[in-house]
Amino acid sequence: LTELGVDVTDISFNTLTLQSDRFICVREKKSQREQVCIVDLKDTSKTFRRPITADSAIMNPENHIVALKAGRNLQVFNLEMKAKVKSCLMTEDVQFWRWLTAFDVALVTENSVYHWSIEGTESPVKQFDRHANLKGTQIISYCANAKMNWMALIGISASQGRVVGSMQLFNKDRGASQPIEAHAAEFSEIMLEGAPQPTQVFTFASRTATGAKLHVVEIDHVDGNPAFPKRSSDLFFPPEAVSDFPFSMQAGPKYEIVYVITKLGFIHMYDIETGVCIFTHRISGDTVFVTTKHENGILFVNKKGQVLSVIVDEDKVIPHILQNSGNVELAFRMASHASLPGVDQLYVQRFQQLMQQGKYNDAAKMAASSPRGMLRTENTINQLKHLQSQPGQLSPILQYFATILEKGELNRYESIELARPVLASNRKTLLE
């Protein structure tokens, strides 16, 4: 950021905001003149400044729209159209705010949490009152799930030489809150084997006086889905990082992993379903104070003004898991649902083992779900179509096609094979 003319003194939690991987917004003071610097992360040459006086400025996650706070006055401006979109006057000071979506802003006051839509004429709508466990804390994070019926508010405070995390987990359907000691949280979803629908999960991390943990719990269980057991895993901190704590979490839905970044710049990558730690490394020598999602990874800014990102190297993550943990099941599952290389030979071996053991339907499912369709070949189809079905079960070849059609489209070999019996019976309308 300093290469773009941003002064280090303007790089802090109170002056710099990061609402998405699209823009960074910095409030600057140059020779007693206040302005806002907006960095376009897709093309930093398009960085621009506007003379704006405000206590806080947050850029819309998608569009050239900025929300400004001056005292209790809130205003939203379209920078391209040079027009005010909406404004309101709060009855309380706003201690923390952020864009939840491209159309909704979350507002946290001393007593309550509100959601404010920039569409229509409606004023901010109160979602819930703050829990007593957040009294006297500095609010650092607020997140909600996609359905907006679960919300998590997090504040930190100093106590007995360490930073204590206080979280309020609120469920809108029940109108109930749960206080939890935690520093960071994230909502996400995973696809369990055999489940007709995704499983909604809530992950949170904490460092207490007795240790540091990552937790994964299911929310809003869907009938027909397998039950998801709560996961709890250790979160490693080196002995010298006495004051460190998990500062932020971001999910990578494609890989079904969660990134935990600490205040002192350590990154931890966990598999959500199992709670297994995949990777840990220090990636910043300076403290981190803002993060956001980025290409199924995480993007953040440190106190030096460095803008850094971590994403999965798709060619190396599966070999890394196999070499460092030997967790074959995790490697298989991640490779399958994210279509990653690295287990091709093992996949072929396991498929042949299932065939030799007579577990034809399991083999059919495995072939249909193979990474990058590596087993979805003419040879596999020929092996499966000549097998007999077990009583009360689909034939292996039908199981194969059913698994594929649940997830995507047929390839040319599969399309031809399915078309043959239809054409043989002269029922062309089925194809149409």
PDB file of all heavy atoms in Angstrom, residues 12-34:
ATOM      1  N   SER A  12      -4.315   1.172   9.831  1.00  0.00           N
ATOM      2  CA  SER A  12      -4.695   0.657  11.146  1.00  0.00           C
ATOM      3  C   SER A  12      -6.146   0.175  11.112  1.00  0.00           C
ATOM      4  O   SER A  12      -6.879   0.426  10.152  1.00  0.00           O
ATOM      5  CB  SER A  12      -4.544   1.742  12.219  1.00  0.00           C
ATOM      6  OG  SER A  12      -5.565   2.721  12.068  1.00  0.00           O
ATOM      7  N   PHE A  13      -6.561  -0.509  12.158  1.00  0.00           N
ATOM      8  CA  PHE A  13      -7.928  -1.034  12.263  1.00  0.00           C
ATOM      9  C   PHE A  13      -8.967   0.080  12.196  1.00  0.00           C
ATOM     10  O   PHE A  13     -10.075  -0.118  11.700  1.00  0.00           O
ATOM     11  CB  PHE A  13      -8.074  -1.822  13.574  1.00  0.00           C
ATOM     12  CG  PHE A  13      -9.393  -2.514  13.738  1.00  0.00           C
ATOM     13  CD1 PHE A  13      -9.670  -3.706  13.078  1.00  0.00           C
ATOM     14  CD2 PHE A  13     -10.380  -1.972  14.562  1.00  0.00           C
ATOM     15  CE1 PHE A  13     -10.894  -4.352  13.229  1.00  0.00           C
ATOM     16  CE2 PHE A  13     -11.604  -2.608  14.720  1.00  0.00           C
ATOM     17  CZ  PHE A  13     -11.856  -3.801  14.050  1.00  0.00           C
ATOM     18  N   ASN A  14      -8.605   1.273  12.699  1.00  0.00           N
ATOM     19  CA  ASN A  14      -9.565   2.385  12.736  1.00  0.00           C
ATOM     20  C   ASN A  14      -9.620   3.187  11.439  1.00  0.00           C
ATOM     21  O   ASN A  14     -10.567   3.951  11.218  1.00  0.00           O
ATOM     22  CB  ASN A  14      -9.227   3.331  13.904  1.00  0.00           C
ATOM     23  CG  ASN A  14      -9.471   2.681  15.242  1.00  0.00           C
ATOM     24  OD1 ASN A  14     -10.435   1.943  15.416  1.00  0.00           O
ATOM     25  ND2 ASN A  14      -8.584   2.933  16.199  1.00  0.00           N
ATOM     26  N   THR A  15      -8.612   3.052  10.583  1.00  0.00           N
ATOM     27  CA  THR A  15      -8.567   3.889   9.374  1.00  0.00           C
ATOM     28  C   THR A  15      -8.659   3.106   8.065  1.00  0.00           C
ATOM     29  O   THR A  15      -9.012   3.670   7.033  1.00  0.00           O
ATOM     30  CB  THR A  15      -7.264   4.711   9.347  1.00  0.00           C
ATOM     31  OG1 THR A  15      -6.150   3.814   9.496  1.00  0.00           O
ATOM     32  CG2 THR A  15      -7.242   5.753  10.448  1.00  0.00           C
ATOM     33  N   LEU A  16      -8.336   1.817   8.093  1.00  0.00           N
ATOM     34  CA  LEU A  16      -8.361   1.003   6.866  1.00  0.00           C
ATOM     35  C   LEU A  16      -9.412  -0.085   6.979  1.00  0.00           C
ATOM     36  O   LEU A  16      -9.487  -0.791   7.986  1.00  0.00           O
ATOM     37  CB  LEU A  16      -6.979   0.374   6.628  1.00  0.00           C
ATOM     38  CG  LEU A  16      -6.784  -0.438   5.343  1.00  0.00           C
ATOM     39  CD1 LEU A  16      -5.335  -0.345   4.875  1.00  0.00           C
ATOM     40  CD2 LEU A  16      -7.154  -1.910   5.531  1.00  0.00           C
ATOM     41  N   THR A  17     -10.230  -0.231   5.943  1.00  0.00           N
ATOM     42  CA  THR A  17     -11.267  -1.266   5.942  1.00  0.00           C
ATOM     43  C   THR A  17     -11.138  -2.141   4.695  1.00  0.00           C
ATOM     44  O   THR A  17     -10.754  -1.683   3.626  1.00  0.00           O
ATOM     45  CB  THR A  17     -12.679  -0.657   6.008  1.00  0.00           C
ATOM     46  OG1 THR A  17     -12.841   0.283   4.936  1.00  0.00           O
ATOM     47  CG2 THR A  17     -12.907   0.044   7.340  1.00  0.00           C
ATOM     48  N   LEU A  18     -11.471  -3.417   4.875  1.00  0.00           N
ATOM     49  CA  LEU A  18     -11.390  -4.419   3.814  1.00  0.00           C
ATOM     50  C   LEU A  18     -12.665  -5.258   3.877  1.00  0.00           C
ATOM     51  O   LEU A  18     -12.799  -6.134   4.724  1.00  0.00           O
ATOM     52  CB  LEU A  18     -10.149  -5.302   4.027  1.00  0.00           C
ATOM     53  CG  LEU A  18      -9.904  -6.428   3.032  1.00  0.00           C
ATOM     54  CD1 LEU A  18      -9.478  -5.887   1.676  1.00  0.00           C
ATOM     55  CD2 LEU A  18      -8.830  -7.386   3.580  1.00  0.00           C
ATOM     56  N   GLN A  19     -13.604  -4.964   2.986  1.00  0.00           N
ATOM     57  CA  GLN A  19     -14.899  -5.634   3.026  1.00  0.00           C
ATOM     58  C   GLN A  19     -14.992  -6.814   2.053  1.00  0.00           C
ATOM     59  O   GLN A  19     -15.894  -7.637   2.146  1.00  0.00           O
ATOM     60  CB  GLN A  19     -16.006  -4.632   2.699  1.00  0.00           C
ATOM     61  CG  GLN A  19     -16.054  -3.446   3.652  1.00  0.00           C
ATOM     62  CD  GLN A  19     -16.501  -3.845   5.051  1.00  0.00           C
ATOM     63  OE1 GLN A  19     -17.614  -4.317   5.251  1.00  0.00           O
ATOM     64  NE2 GLN A  19     -15.624  -3.662   6.038  1.00  0.00           N
ATOM     65  N   SER A  20     -14.074  -6.870   1.096  1.00  0.00           N
ATOM     66  CA  SER A  20     -14.029  -7.955   0.114  1.00  0.00           C
ATOM     67  C   SER A  20     -12.680  -7.896  -0.575  1.00  0.00           C
ATOM     68  O   SER A  20     -11.868  -6.998  -0.301  1.00  0.00           O
ATOM     69  CB  SER A  20     -15.148  -7.792  -0.928  1.00  0.00           C
ATOM     70  OG  SER A  20     -14.869  -6.695  -1.792  1.00  0.00           O
ATOM     71  N   ASP A  21     -12.441  -8.849  -1.499  1.00  0.00           N
ATOM     72  CA  ASP A  21     -11.178  -8.815  -2.232  1.00  0.00           C
ATOM     73  C   ASP A  21     -11.255  -7.900  -3.453  1.00  0.00           C
ATOM     74  O   ASP A  21     -10.419  -7.986  -4.356  1.00  0.00           O
ATOM     75  CB  ASP A  21     -10.741 -10.226  -2.633  1.00  0.00           C
ATOM     76  CG  ASP A  21     -11.732 -10.914  -3.563  1.00  0.00           C
ATOM     77  OD1 ASP A  21     -12.798 -10.331  -3.846  1.00  0.00           O
ATOM     78  OD2 ASP A  21     -11.441 -12.047  -4.004  1.00  0.00           O
ATOM     79  N   ARG A  22     -12.226  -6.999  -3.442  1.00  0.00           N
ATOM     80  CA  ARG A  22     -12.418  -6.049  -4.550  1.00  0.00           C
ATOM     81  C   ARG A  22     -11.779  -4.690  -4.259  1.00  0.00           C
ATOM     82  O   ARG A  22     -11.136  -4.105  -5.114  1.00  0.00           O
ATOM     83  CB  ARG A  22     -13.913  -5.887  -4.807  1.00  0.00           C
ATOM     84  CG  ARG A  22     -14.280  -5.012  -5.983  1.00  0.00           C
ATOM     85  CD  ARG A  22     -14.133  -5.730  -7.307  1.00  0.00           C
ATOM     86  NE  ARG A  22     -14.740  -4.970  -8.383  1.00  0.00           N
ATOM     87  CZ  ARG A  22     -14.176  -3.965  -9.035  1.00  0.00           C
ATOM     88  NH1 ARG A  22     -12.968  -3.576  -8.708  1.00  0.00           N
ATOM     89  NH2 ARG A  22     -14.794  -3.347 -10.013  1.00  0.00           N
ATOM     90  N   PHE A  23     -11.975  -4.180  -3.030  1.00  0.00           N
ATOM     91  CA  PHE A  23     -11.479  -2.834  -2.693  1.00  0.00           C
ATOM     92  C   PHE A  23     -10.858  -2.808  -1.297  1.00  0.00           C
ATOM     93  O   PHE A  23     -11.270  -3.529  -0.400  1.00  0.00           O
ATOM     94  CB  PHE A  23     -12.622  -1.802  -2.690  1.00  0.00           C
ATOM     95  CG  PHE A  23     -13.370  -1.673  -3.978  1.00  0.00           C
ATOM     96  CD1 PHE A  23     -14.638  -2.243  -4.114  1.00  0.00           C
ATOM     97  CD2 PHE A  23     -12.833  -0.987  -5.057  1.00  0.00           C
ATOM     98  CE1 PHE A  23     -15.354  -2.118  -5.301  1.00  0.00           C
ATOM     99  CE2 PHE A  23     -13.534  -0.858  -6.246  1.00  0.00           C
ATOM    100  CZ  PHE A  23     -14.804  -1.427  -6.371  1.00  0.00           C
ATOM    101  N   ILE A  24      -9.881  -1.915  -1.129  1.00  0.00           N
ATOM    102  CA  ILE A  24      -9.403  -1.489   0.188  1.00  0.00           C
ATOM    103  C   ILE A  24      -9.737  -0.015   0.308  1.00  0.00           C
ATOM    104  O   ILE A  24      -9.580   0.751  -0.644  1.00  0.00           O
ATOM    105  CB  ILE A  24      -7.885  -1.700   0.336  1.00  0.00           C
ATOM    106  CG1 ILE A  24      -7.555  -3.186   0.407  1.00  0.00           C
ATOM    107  CG2 ILE A  24      -7.358  -0.992   1.594  1.00  0.00           C
ATOM    108  CD1 ILE A  24      -6.064  -3.486   0.447  1.00  0.00           C
ATOM    109  N   CYS A  25     -10.224   0.378   1.466  1.00  0.00           N
ATOM    110  CA  CYS A  25     -10.623   1.778   1.684  1.00  0.00           C
ATOM    111  C   CYS A  25      -9.807   2.340   2.850  1.00  0.00           C
ATOM    112  O   CYS A  25      -9.797   1.772   3.946  1.00  0.00           O
ATOM    113  CB  CYS A  25     -12.123   1.832   1.986  1.00  0.00           C
ATOM    114  SG  CYS A  25     -12.817   3.485   1.973  1.00  0.00           S
ATOM    115  N   VAL A  26      -9.110   3.457   2.605  1.00  0.00           N
ATOM    116  CA  VAL A  26      -8.245   4.050   3.633  1.00  0.00           C
ATOM    117  C   VAL A  26      -8.624   5.515   3.849  1.00  0.00           C
ATOM    118  O   VAL A  26      -8.689   6.295   2.891  1.00  0.00           O
ATOM    119  CB  VAL A  26      -6.752   3.978   3.223  1.00  0.00           C
ATOM    120  CG1 VAL A  26      -5.865   4.414   4.388  1.00  0.00           C
ATOM    121  CG2 VAL A  26      -6.373   2.589   2.750  1.00  0.00           C
ATOM    122  N   ARG A  27      -8.866   5.885   5.101  1.00  0.00           N
ATOM    123  CA  ARG A  27      -9.082   7.308   5.430  1.00  0.00           C
ATOM    124  C   ARG A  27      -7.716   7.943   5.677  1.00  0.00           C
ATOM    125  O   ARG A  27      -6.952   7.478   6.520  1.00  0.00           O
ATOM    126  CB  ARG A  27      -9.969   7.445   6.667  1.00  0.00           C
ATOM    127  CG  ARG A  27     -11.414   7.050   6.425  1.00  0.00           C
ATOM    128  CD  ARG A  27     -12.310   7.380   7.618  1.00  0.00           C
ATOM    129  NE  ARG A  27     -11.885   6.693   8.821  1.00  0.00           N
ATOM    130  CZ  ARG A  27     -11.446   7.287   9.917  1.00  0.00           C
ATOM    131  NH1 ARG A  27     -11.348   8.624   9.964  1.00  0.00           N
ATOM    132  NH2 ARG A  27     -11.083   6.596  10.971  1.00  0.00           N
ATOM    133  N   GLU A  28      -7.421   8.977   4.916  1.00  0.00           N
ATOM    134  CA  GLU A  28      -6.111   9.618   4.995  1.00  0.00           C
ATOM    135  C   GLU A  28      -6.234  11.060   5.482  1.00  0.00           C
ATOM    136  O   GLU A  28      -7.257  11.710   5.271  1.00  0.00           O
ATOM    137  CB  GLU A  28      -5.435   9.623   3.612  1.00  0.00           C
ATOM    138  CG  GLU A  28      -5.173   8.248   3.032  1.00  0.00           C
ATOM    139  CD  GLU A  28      -4.562   8.323   1.650  1.00  0.00           C
ATOM    140  OE1 GLU A  28      -5.032   9.146   0.825  1.00  0.00           O
ATOM    141  OE2 GLU A  28      -3.609   7.573   1.391  1.00  0.00           O
ATOM    142  N   LYS A  29      -5.159  11.508   6.113  1.00  0.00           N
ATOM    143  CA  LYS A  29      -5.084  12.923   6.518  1.00  0.00           C
ATOM    144  C   LYS A  29      -3.790  13.489   5.949  1.00  0.00           C
ATOM    145  O   LYS A  29      -2.689  13.118   6.379  1.00  0.00           O
ATOM    146  CB  LYS A  29      -5.101  13.046   8.038  1.00  0.00           C
ATOM    147  CG  LYS A  29      -5.578  14.400   8.538  1.00  0.00           C
ATOM    148  CD  LYS A  29      -5.940  14.345  10.016  1.00  0.00           C
ATOM    149  CE  LYS A  29      -6.638  15.637  10.418  1.00  0.00           C
ATOM    150  NZ  LYS A  29      -7.060  15.601  11.836  1.00  0.00           N
ATOM    151  N   LYS A  30      -3.901  14.341   4.943  1.00  0.00           N
ATOM    152  CA  LYS A  30      -2.740  14.934   4.284  1.00  0.00           C
ATOM    153  C   LYS A  30      -2.766  16.447   4.475  1.00  0.00           C
ATOM    154  O   LYS A  30      -3.661  17.137   3.986  1.00  0.00           O
ATOM    155  CB  LYS A  30      -2.780  14.642   2.778  1.00  0.00           C
ATOM    156  CG  LYS A  30      -2.861  13.151   2.428  1.00  0.00           C
ATOM    157  CD  LYS A  30      -1.506  12.485   2.475  1.00  0.00           C
ATOM    158  CE  LYS A  30      -1.580  11.062   1.939  1.00  0.00           C
ATOM    159  NZ  LYS A  30      -0.311  10.347   2.058  1.00  0.00           N
ATOM    160  N   SER A  31      -1.792  16.973   5.229  1.00  0.00           N
ATOM    161  CA  SER A  31      -1.704  18.427   5.473  1.00  0.00           C
ATOM    162  C   SER A  31      -3.053  18.992   5.943  1.00  0.00           C
ATOM    163  O   SER A  31      -3.575  19.947   5.381  1.00  0.00           O
ATOM    164  CB  SER A  31      -1.247  19.143   4.192  1.00  0.00           C
ATOM    165  OG  SER A  31      -0.023  18.616   3.729  1.00  0.00           O
ATOM    166  N   GLN A  32      -3.595  18.357   6.987  1.00  0.00           N
ATOM    167  CA  GLN A  32      -4.869  18.784   7.587  1.00  0.00           C
ATOM    168  C   GLN A  32      -6.068  18.596   6.643  1.00  0.00           C
ATOM    169  O   GLN A  32      -7.172  19.004   6.961  1.00  0.00           O
ATOM    170  CB  GLN A  32      -4.796  20.254   8.046  1.00  0.00           C
ATOM    171  CG  GLN A  32      -3.689  20.542   9.046  1.00  0.00           C
ATOM    172  CD  GLN A  32      -3.775  19.668  10.282  1.00  0.00           C
ATOM    173  OE1 GLN A  32      -4.833  19.558  10.899  1.00  0.00           O
ATOM    174  NE2 GLN A  32      -2.670  19.018  10.640  1.00  0.00           N
ATOM    175  N   ARG A  33      -5.836  17.972   5.497  1.00  0.00           N
ATOM    176  CA  ARG A  33      -6.930  17.724   4.560  1.00  0.00           C
ATOM    177  C   ARG A  33      -7.296  16.244   4.614  1.00  0.00           C
ATOM    178  O   ARG A  33      -6.461  15.368   4.442  1.00  0.00           O
ATOM    179  CB  ARG A  33      -6.498  18.120   3.147  1.00  0.00           C
ATOM    180  CG  ARG A  33      -7.597  17.981   2.093  1.00  0.00           C
ATOM    181  CD  ARG A  33      -7.149  18.679   0.810  1.00  0.00           C
ATOM    182  NE  ARG A  33      -5.869  18.164   0.328  1.00  0.00           N
ATOM    183  CZ  ARG A  33      -5.765  17.146  -0.529  1.00  0.00           C
ATOM    184  NH1 ARG A  33      -6.839  16.538  -0.982  1.00  0.00           N
ATOM    185  NH2 ARG A  33      -4.577  16.752  -0.943  1.00  0.00           N
ATOM    186  N   GLU A  34      -8.594  15.976   4.881  1.00  0.00           N
ATOM    187  CA  GLU A  34      -9.047  14.587   4.979  1.00  0.00           C
ATOM    188  C   GLU A  34      -9.547  14.084   3.631  1.00  0.00           C
ATOM    189  O   GLU A  34     -10.216  14.821   2.890  1.00  0.00           O
ATOM    190  CB  GLU A  34     -10.151  14.465   6.037  1.00  0.00           C
ATOM    191  CG  GLU A  34      -9.651  14.757   7.446  1.00  0.00           C
ATOM    192  CD  GLU A  34     -10.712  14.470   8.502  1.00  0.00           C
ATOM    193  OE1 GLU A  34     -11.613  13.653   8.220  1.00  0.00           O
ATOM    194  OE2 GLU A  34     -10.647  15.068   9.582  1.00  0.00           O
TER     195      GLU A  34
END
